[in-house]
Amino acid sequence: MSVEHLEESEATTRDRVRDLIIELGPITAADMADRLDLTSAAIRRHLGALERAGQITVREDTTSTPRGRGRPAKRYIATPAAHKPAGEAYAELAVLALQQLGAEIGPEAVEEFARHRSADLTTRYRDAVEAAGDDLHARAAALAHALSQDGYAATSRPIGAIDTIAVQLCQGHCPVQQIAAKFPQLCEAETEAFADLLGVHVQRLATLAGGEHVCTTHIPVTIPTRAKE
């Protein structure tokens, strides 16, 4: 293999590692090696390069699951630098347009724009979510799959060890992140669209636009009952 082909292969594999961290982070090196069928040495090499590039960072494993002796496993998350910009010029133009809209008509005009986007999202994903049936786990998974097809790198994860009490919908990428950072109404409208699609009240816990490594939406599945006094 020529040097050029070797470098291209390395870059492609590094992109796969980065994209997996964006989608599933926080994630351990061992889990990445299993999922990507790479050796521990290869994973360490790519993680080192991504860290030096400022595209990933380490989050110590704070789970309560015993791991025996030794330090907690390192889990990797993506930094803002890891996300492919959706066109700097486009984002700047969109921000300027919304700022102008708000200045000339008022803040309610921006909110109305966000509501229209929420309605568009609901219409776009309605069929996919409805086809999953009534089970909230299946509906959340269907929504995550539909979002991923549009570039959101979304996953759904059950929360709760025995009886699942909630599902977390995580979006590792946001095509409008730069715009939403200036106009959080877009995040609020997106949350409303998720609630409409899933048929339950949901809560946005974190957003990429707010500086977190992932957008996280809490979806209640069952309501815990109080123990009888």
Side-chain angles (χ1 to χ4, degrees):
M1 181 181 291
S2 67
V3 174
E4 291 80 5
H5 285 165
L6 181 60
E7 291 177 348
E8 182 178 347
S9 177
E10 283 282 286
T12 299
T13 303
R14 192 161 300 150
D15 286 345
R16 291 171 60 210
V17 173
R18 182 201 59 214
D19 291 346
L20 186 64
I21 296 171
I22 289 174
E23 180 181 357
L24 297 180
I27 184 172
T28 66
D31 197 3
M32 283 184 271
D34 288 342
R35 289 174 179 271
L36 298 176
D37 194 23
L38 294 172
T39 65
S40 297
I43 282 291
R44 287 196 300 271
R45 183 172 68 253
H46 292 301
L47 290 175
L50 290 169
E51 281 191 282
R52 289 191 295 274
Q55 294 189 346
I56 63 171
T57 188
V58 174
R59 171 176 290 180
E60 293 293 342
D61 188 349
T62 58
T63 61
S64 58
T65 304
R67 296 186 63 255
R69 296 181 179 179
R71 299 182 61 186
K74 292 181 178 180
R75 291 181 178 270
Y76 294 86
I77 60 174
T79 68
H83 298 278
K84 300 173 184 176
E88 293 288 342
Y90 165 78
E92 291 177 6
L93 181 61
V95 168
L96 288 173
L98 287 175
Q99 287 175 337
Q100 188 69 19
L101 185 67
E104 293 192 0
I105 302 178
E108 64 276 5
V110 177
E111 293 174 3
E112 182 65 18
F113 174 85
R115 282 193 293 270
H116 277 296
R117 183 170 185 269
S118 173
D120 288 342
L121 288 174
T122 302
T123 300
R124 184 178 184 86
Y125 302 132
R126 175 73 72 190
D127 289 346
V129 174
E130 291 299 325
D134 295 330
D135 180 72
L136 265 175
H137 295 85
R139 293 173 73 87
L143 178 56
H145 178 70
L147 286 165
S148 291
Q149 290 184 315
D150 280 347
Y152 287 86
T155 58
S156 62
R157 308 175 185 179
I159 304 298
I162 302 175
D163 294 325
T164 300
I165 61 172
V167 173
Q168 279 192 352
L169 177 68
C170 298
Q171 297 157 254
H173 181 64
C174 176
V176 295
Q177 177 180 343
Q178 295 159 284
I179 305 165
K182 299 288 186 180
F183 297 95
Q185 297 96 322
L186 296 179
C187 295
E188 294 165 7
E190 185 178 271
T191 305
E192 291 174 5
F194 292 170
D196 187 8
L197 286 163
L198 297 171
V200 295
H201 174 74
V202 304
Q203 182 181 6
R204 186 59 66 89
L205 302 179
T207 64
L208 286 158
E212 299 296 332
H213 76 281
V214 67
C215 294
T216 305
T217 304
H218 178 87
I219 305 163
V221 175
T222 60
I223 300 175
T225 56
R226 287 186 178 180
K228 292 183 178 181
E229 297 179 358

